[in-house]
Amino acid sequence: MARGSVASLRKLFSSRHGAPRTIGYASASFSTVHNHATSFGFKEVTEEEKVKLVGNVFTKVAPSYDIMNDLMSGGLHRLWKDRLVSKLHPFPGMKHLDVAGGTGDVAFRILESINSVTRQALEVSQPEGEYDTKIYVLDINPNMLSVGKKRAAEKRLDERCLQWVEGDAEALNFRDDSMDGYTIAFGIRNVSHIERVLEEAYRVLKRGGRFLCMELSHVDVPLFKQIYDYYSFGVIPAMGEVITGDRSSYQYLVESIRRFPKQEKFAKMIADAGFSKVEYENLVGGVVAIHSGLKL
């Protein structure tokens, strides 16, 4: 990406399009639709096929995941993740679940935020119960988890606070009302049933627990949308081919963004799952949206 383009994106990052928007939907229960057809990018496939195809994509991209994120976003993904964690308000002793977080990017930020609060509060002495903090990093892909474990070791992060779990966002192996927080970043658009993921998130959160989802979304600025569409379909797949030798995986990633529900519709889905105080915040004119809700 050209330097001027990055500067333009950074300007948009702090523009008026970043203002939080509260959604006034009444919470309601829903029933899961059983449908054996789903989407893989612009293709219609069976649910079983999608699981395998998405698994193959992330197995391929795992080794180059960090460098491609930096290249595709001009480094802005780091600021977006910082923003996500700032909305979570982490605290010492919390039990948190980070879903589709295999590489550890969000979990590491949460842990650093907690450690920062601890250091500021106590300065010298180590707090009793500091290691009651548990951040569960869940991913369905073992290759992504391997990347995260390696990074955690390189950073010398406390293993007592981080738990790495191979699992499915649609069928979590955690007790009801067991988590203080739940995050999922750039992962929910890859599942077969978004409703099931939201239902599971609601189930495992405690009363007062916060749900946060950051996802590549839909641009709402007309001229910028044209530029973004060209960049998405004309540049990102080509970049994937040059850097990783894998064009098809990045073609899927672009197509999956366009198939993901628009901000208002996704916010309603979150409210329909039972969450209250649902709102979303657009970043970079809607390239990324952070949706949030509370379990009350």
Side-chain angles (χ1 to χ4, degrees):
M1 182 184 293
R3 184 174 298 176
S5 299
V6 173
S8 298
L9 288 177
R10 291 186 184 277
K11 183 177 180 180
L12 276 167
F13 176 83
S14 58
S15 71
R16 63 183 176 88
H17 302 289
R21 305 182 186 182
T22 301
I23 309 303
Y25 302 126
S27 296
S29 61
F30 64 86
S31 58
T32 302
V33 177
H34 296 283
N35 190 340
H36 295 291
T38 187
S39 64
F40 177 77
F42 291 157
K43 300 176 183 177
E44 292 297 319
V45 297
T46 67
E47 293 171 5
E48 289 186 13
E49 287 174 328
K50 178 165 183 173
V51 170
K52 293 177 182 178
L53 290 168
V54 171
N56 289 338
V57 166
F58 285 94
T59 296
K60 290 178 182 177
V61 305
S64 58
Y65 192 76
D66 290 332
I67 188 171
M68 282 299 295
N69 277 346
D70 278 330
L71 290 171
M72 289 188 296
S73 72
L76 287 175
H77 75 99
R78 299 174 186 272
L79 298 178
W80 299 337
K81 290 166 185 172
D82 288 343
R83 178 62 177 162
L84 177 75
V85 173
S86 74
K87 294 169 77 72
L88 178 64
H89 306 300
F91 58 88
M94 79 180 299
K95 304 295 184 290
H96 182 82
L97 178 60
D98 181 41
V99 175
T103 61
D105 259 8
V106 172
F108 299 159
R109 283 170 167 78
I110 295 171
L111 184 57
E112 176 54 35
S113 178
I114 291 171
N115 289 341
S116 177
V117 169
T118 300
R119 287 193 295 269
Q120 291 174 18
L122 297 161
E123 294 185 358
V124 177
S125 60
Q126 177 174 302
E128 184 177 350
E130 178 183 4
Y131 299 116
D132 290 341
T133 298
K134 293 292 182 187
I135 302 172
Y136 299 90
V137 185
L138 182 140
D139 204 293
I140 200 169
N141 191 296
N143 298 81
M144 298 292 278
L145 288 170
S146 295
V147 172
K149 291 176 184 178
K150 181 180 178 181
R151 292 181 64 201
E154 291 171 350
K155 292 175 178 289
R156 298 183 180 180
L157 297 175
D158 197 309
E159 295 180 359
R160 290 170 288 185
C161 296
L162 290 169
Q163 301 290 319
W164 304 89
V165 182
E166 185 177 343
D168 186 349
E170 296 185 25
L172 298 173
N173 191 25
F174 294 96
R175 298 192 309 275
D176 295 359
D177 308 307
S178 59
M179 297 292 164
D180 296 296
Y182 176 112
T183 50
I184 180 167
F186 306 126
I188 201 165
R189 75 181 188 280
N190 297 308
V191 305
S192 297
H193 304 95
I194 293 174
E195 296 91 343
R196 290 182 190 173
V197 175
L198 297 174
E199 183 180 42
E200 282 290 88
Y202 188 85
R203 179 183 67 79
V204 301
L205 278 170
K206 300 176 183 177
R207 295 291 171 181
R210 186 178 298 273
F211 167 86
L212 285 164
C213 175
M214 181 165 66
E215 190 53 85
L216 294 160
S217 199
H218 297 270
V219 171
D220 58 5
V221 184
L223 178 59
F224 183 47
K225 183 179 185 303
Q226 294 179 18
I227 298 170
Y228 179 56
D229 283 345
Y230 170 76
Y231 177 71
S232 298
F233 289 98
V235 177
I236 289 179
M239 188 185 299
E241 184 172 18
V242 171
I243 303 298
T244 71
D246 179 13
R247 184 185 186 92
S248 61
S249 291
Y250 291 93
Q251 182 70 33
Y252 158 72
L253 292 175
V254 170
E255 292 177 1
S256 68
I257 298 167
R258 298 305 187 273
R259 293 298 297 262
F260 189 69
K262 291 188 175 181
Q263 288 90 322
E264 290 280 343
K265 182 177 179 180
F266 184 50
K268 187 178 185 304
M269 293 172 72
I270 296 170
D272 287 346
F275 287 99
S276 302
K277 298 185 177 180
V278 176
E279 64 178 32
Y280 70 88
E281 179 181 9
N282 277 339
L283 306 178
V284 197
V287 170
V288 170
I290 300 177
H291 284 75
S292 63
L294 289 174
K295 179 178 178 178
L296 299 180

